[in-house]
Amino acid sequence: MNEVRKIDRLDAGPRFSEHDAVRLNRMFRGSSTQEMLDGVIKGNLAGEVATVSSFGAESAVLLHLIAQVDPSVPVIFLDTGKHFTETLQYRDDLVARLGLTNLQILTPETADIAKQDETGLRWSYDPDGCCEIRKVKPLAKALEQIDASFTGRKAFQSSTRANLPRFEVDTSDAQGRLKINPLIDWSAQDIAAYIEEHGLPRHPLVAKGFPSIGCEPCTHKVAPGEDPRSGRWKGWDKTECGIHKPGEEPFL
């Protein structure tokens, strides 16, 4: 099997192509999540990597897996200014517990907030615009020097994530960054079992009926049996914050 090319920052073209994503999916077909993470991180198969974490309901699993390989992998957290207090405390507790050494906290540009969300209420009438200012723009800037990012997306979370592969090219820009979904084939039972096996702390809001946790104004409780993400942007035709695009085609 030919090794996926290493990143050359002098190359003006895209970092990764669809062909690269296909090869990586084939290379790690049948491998465990831990084997895949070990191969990608230690083998430098994806260049400069980072993980983007919301420190939400199930974030401890991916962060624990990555910490076992390399606790210095950058962990990017988008501090939107709208998070639950419980999320911020959970973030700090989990980082300390797992020994993660490279937490990077991003905040929206002050000028953008002053110009486009002076009242802080844009979430109530334009959630897409709010996410753009507070999540999408800060992350895009941070990822300029990153070749690939790990996500916590899982197929069972929603229909828009049901067919995502482990490796895919980010179609939201022309840079050809790689998105890696280590937990995409994990079930809710797999997540729960891993948390139990390793004694990982749960986000305190999970026990209160929040299986998917984002910003406080746009996160609601979910009734038993409902889609875990149905409490996000309730009442809006919106399933993602804009960091991930719904309906992206998988690379098989």
Side-chain angles (χ1 to χ4, degrees):
M1 182 78 64
N2 292 328
E3 183 182 357
V4 175
R5 69 181 178 87
K6 290 191 171 67
I7 306 303
D8 181 355
R9 291 193 180 279
L10 297 179
D11 183 355
R15 292 168 167 87
F16 290 93
S17 67
E18 294 185 19
H19 180 63
D20 292 324
V22 169
R23 279 202 290 166
L24 280 165
N25 279 309
R26 289 175 178 166
M27 182 183 297
F28 290 103
R29 184 178 295 157
S31 300
S32 70
T33 301
Q34 194 70 69
E35 288 169 341
M36 184 270 286
L37 287 170
D38 194 79
V40 169
I41 296 171
K42 290 184 178 178
N44 193 33
L45 295 182
E48 295 294 326
V49 298
T51 187
V52 182
S53 181
S54 65
F55 287 87
E58 297 157 347
S59 296
V61 172
L62 179 57
L63 293 174
H64 183 267
L65 286 162
I66 289 173
Q68 304 312 297
V69 180
D70 184 356
S72 70
V73 169
V75 177
I76 298 172
F77 174 74
L78 294 159
D79 190 345
T80 63
K82 300 291 183 182
H83 282 294
F84 289 93
T85 301
E86 291 92 336
T87 295
L88 302 181
Q89 185 61 58
Y90 181 64
R91 176 198 67 194
D92 296 342
D93 292 346
L94 197 56
V95 165
R97 179 162 182 161
L98 299 181
L100 297 165
T101 61
N102 196 359
L103 175 66
Q104 299 182 8
I105 300 175
L106 308 183
T107 56
E109 292 285 347
T110 303
D112 287 342
I113 296 296
K115 209 165 143 183
Q116 301 178 59
D117 194 13
E118 185 179 6
T119 65
L121 295 174
R122 187 160 186 159
W123 61 268
S124 66
Y125 60 88
D126 180 20
D128 285 334
C130 185
C131 287
E132 177 72 20
I133 298 166
R134 297 176 183 273
K135 289 185 176 182
V136 178
K137 288 182 68 176
L139 182 60
K141 185 175 180 181
L143 291 181
E144 287 177 358
Q145 299 303 313
I146 298 295
D147 301 309
S149 60
F150 298 109
T151 85
R153 292 184 293 176
K154 293 164 281 291
F156 75 83
Q157 289 175 319
S158 67
S159 59
T160 59
R161 298 180 174 189
N163 296 311
L164 292 176
R166 272 181 166 177
F167 299 89
E168 57 179 330
V169 176
D170 187 347
T171 59
S172 65
D173 63 30
Q175 297 302 311
R177 294 184 189 86
L178 199 66
K179 279 186 181 178
I180 307 173
N181 307 308
L183 305 180
I184 197 63
D185 58 351
W186 285 46
S187 68
Q189 292 73 28
D190 292 332
I191 296 290
Y194 190 92
I195 290 172
E196 180 70 22
E197 178 186 354
H198 296 280
L200 300 177
R202 298 297 297 264
H203 192 297
L205 291 179
V206 171
K208 298 181 180 180
F210 295 86
S212 180
I213 302 160
C215 291
E216 184 171 7
C218 298
T219 303
H220 299 81
K221 290 184 180 181
V222 172
E226 287 186 323
D227 185 316
R229 287 180 62 83
S230 63
R232 304 288 293 276
W233 304 287
K234 206 171 186 77
W236 292 90
D237 183 20
K238 179 175 172 66
T239 59
E240 300 283 1
C241 64
I243 293 172
H244 307 302
K245 303 294 185 184
E248 288 176 331
E249 288 297 321
F251 301 118
L252 303 177

